[in-house]
Amino acid sequence: MIGKKTWIIPDGFLQPKSRGEQVSHEAVCVLNLTESNAEIQLTFYFEDREPMETFISECGSKRTHHIRLDKLEDRDGNKVPRNVPYAIKVDSTVPIIVQHSRLDTSQEALALFTTMGYPIES
Amino acid sequence: MIGKKTWIIPDGFLQPKSRGEQVSHEAVCVLNLTESNAEIQLTFYFEDREPMETFISECGSKRTHHIRLDKLEDRDGNKVPRNVPYAIKVDSTVPIIVQHSRLDTSQEALALFTTMGYPIES
Amino acid sequence: MIGKKTWIIPDGFLQPKSRGEQVSHEAVCVLNLTESNAEIQLTFYFEDREPMETFISECGSKRTHHIRLDKLEDRDGNKVPRNVPYAIKVDSTVPIIVQHSRLDTSQEALALFTTMGYPIES
Amino acid sequence: MIGKKTWIIPDGFLQPKSRGEQVSHEAVCVLNLTESNAEIQLTFYFEDREPMETFISECGSKRTHHIRLDKLEDRDGNKVPRNVPYAIKVDSTVPIIVQHSRLDTSQEALALFTTMGYPIES
């Protein structure tokens, strides 16, 4: 089976400012090469408060999902806070591959970064 | 043998806008350190449609190939669609090393990102 | 236990110039998924001088810490020097996951990069 | 021993244009945590010509070296060509850790990217 069920991304941050046509955001990009639907739980860890644990997403078999973190809502309708450093744990019911990217449009010209998630052996 | 035959890149996107002299694009950058030519197949996975599976490229022995994803055509002459999130699986007949990079010139100043692909053990 | 106790980042640099509202900086972003507090030591290696070894930080259990390298001070009150290439070794008392990011605002538009640290098997 | 003796970077490119105060360049950033000096050979692979194999650098014990690829010269005084895609193999006499970064100042605002090299098991 290609991929892992748990992935870690330590550097998360939703830039509060945006200029131009594109809003500052992050995405957790998932590929599911299994034959089953992937049920995905995202946990957000902070510097000085308890984790937020009830963000749910999914990714179909043979599909990708670029999960927009600025649009996600947890079970109680809470969004991921902007302007607060966080880290992310991604848990899936089936093996997936996870990459994380940020778009920052706080100044006139946008900036991008990306990295593969850190895969956890199960 | 140095490298792997299969690599995964979850975050693919061809920015539809370009400004200035350079067109927004992505490249799958391959190095082939084997003694044989690498026949390379690229499969593109989407959020809400079937994968596109017949994109073919190659990389000679002791050569690199920076495969431009905005120029690639599949067996039927289709291009990779712009403005649509996708993920990429790269399969090679011989072990290679794969890195993926994006150039975004949608605003006045260009932005870049890169990551190694995620290697699959065979 | 998720993570490793030692991580390496070869490309460190504090850009001396800043424009706009954000100061050029780097961060070592840590996630601690263990039940214990992580005591963290950062060692900075240079091209032509002895390493600086007494930078201390921490990260609580189930917490992240985005350690700002431009604000850090060692035991003797020294800061990480700007405008000098360095590399970083991160040592923790418990397993953690480490990512490194740079923000460069030396020109009008900011630039970003990031990578996971290189984990050392213990 | 921390690190590996061989590392691969598939996406190399020296942007021919520069604006502002900083010249477009790439750096292979090395950290040597061994007790010995690292003798380093860099081989550059191209899309349509033979590899260039005689670029030599070094990194002292407990030192970093951010090797500027635009300043490097091979045994015969040749530089790495600008405006040509290449890939890099880094070979060291002792284990090192390798990260690769690009600075692009072809437009008014600079862009940055980075990734760890791909380590080869020996």
Side-chain angles (χ1 to χ4, degrees), chain A residues 9-18 23-28 42 44-46 49 52 55 67-73 78-88 100-106 111 113, chain C residues 22 66 112:
Chain A
I9 302 139
D11 185 4
F13 185 73
L14 287 174
Q15 169 62 243
K17 297 188 181 176
S18 300
V23 64
S24 291
H25 69 267
E26 293 191 331
V28 167
L42 297 103
F44 293 82
Y45 296 88
F46 300 97
R49 60 180 93 169
M52 298 174 76
F55 290 90
I67 306 170
R68 285 278 297 258
L69 299 187
D70 56 326
K71 297 183 176 175
L72 209 57
E73 293 189 1
N78 299 305
K79 290 194 160 190
V80 180
R82 283 196 182 264
N83 206 22
V84 175
Y86 54 82
I88 313 163
H100 174 253
S101 302
R102 181 183 300 167
L103 173 66
D104 183 315
T105 61
S106 62
F113 80 29
Chain C
Q22 297 179 77
H66 293 196
L112 285 174

Side-chain angles (χ1 to χ4, degrees), chain D residues 35-53:
Chain D
E35 300 297 326
S36 307
N37 196 55
E39 306 292 332
I40 297 168
Q41 179 184 6
L42 297 103
T43 306
F44 293 82
Y45 296 88
F46 300 96
E47 292 192 319
D48 54 7
R49 62 180 93 169
E50 290 300 302
M52 297 175 77
E53 298 183 325

Side-chain angles (χ1 to χ4, degrees), chain A residues 30-44:
Chain A
V30 172
L31 177 61
N32 174 10
L33 292 173
T34 76
E35 300 297 325
S36 307
N37 197 55
E39 306 292 333
I40 297 168
Q41 180 185 3
L42 297 103
T43 306
F44 293 82

Side-chain angles (χ1 to χ4, degrees), chain B residues 78-108:
Chain B
N78 299 305
K79 290 195 159 188
V80 180
R82 282 196 181 263
N83 206 23
V84 174
Y86 55 83
I88 313 164
K89 182 159 69 78
V90 180
D91 290 292
S92 170
T93 50
V94 296
I96 55 177
I97 306 96
V98 170
Q99 184 175 349
H100 174 253
S101 302
R102 181 184 300 167
L103 173 66
D104 183 315
T105 61
S106 63
Q107 297 201 3
E108 275 181 39

Side-chain angles (χ1 to χ4, degrees), chain A residues 44-53, chain C residues 61-63:
Chain A
F44 293 82
Y45 296 88
F46 300 97
E47 293 193 319
D48 54 7
R49 60 180 93 169
E50 289 299 302
M52 298 174 76
E53 297 183 325
Chain C
S61 167
K62 318 288 186 199
R63 292 290 184 275

Side-chain angles (χ1 to χ4, degrees), chain C:
Chain C
M1 294 271 261
I2 290 179
K4 302 290 174 188
K5 291 185 179 177
T6 299
W7 294 77
I8 305 296
I9 302 139
D11 185 4
F13 184 74
L14 287 174
Q15 169 60 244
K17 297 187 182 177
S18 300
R19 296 189 190 181
E21 297 172 5
Q22 297 179 77
V23 64
S24 291
H25 69 267
E26 293 190 331
V28 166
C29 300
V30 172
L31 178 60
N32 175 9
L33 292 173
T34 76
E35 300 297 326
S36 307
N37 197 55
E39 305 292 334
I40 297 168
Q41 180 185 3
L42 297 102
T43 305
F44 293 82
Y45 296 88
F46 300 97
E47 292 192 319
D48 53 8
R49 61 180 95 170
E50 290 299 302
M52 298 175 76
E53 298 184 324
T54 62
F55 290 91
I56 304 296
S57 188
E58 63 183 352
C59 183
S61 167
K62 318 288 186 199
R63 292 290 184 275
T64 188
H65 188 180
H66 293 196
I67 306 169
R68 284 278 298 257
L69 299 187
D70 56 327
K71 297 183 176 174
L72 209 57
E73 293 189 1
D74 73 3
R75 197 177 49 196
D76 302 316
N78 299 305
K79 290 195 158 188
V80 180
R82 283 196 181 264
N83 206 21
V84 174
Y86 55 82
I88 313 163
K89 181 158 70 78
V90 181
D91 291 290
S92 170
T93 50
V94 296
I96 55 176
I97 305 96
V98 170
Q99 183 174 350
H100 175 254
S101 302
R102 181 183 300 168
L103 173 65
D104 183 316
T105 62
S106 62
Q107 299 201 1
E108 276 182 39
L110 65 81
L112 285 174
F113 79 30
T114 196
T115 183
M116 288 291 160
Y118 180 73
I120 304 301
E121 301 298 324
S122 55

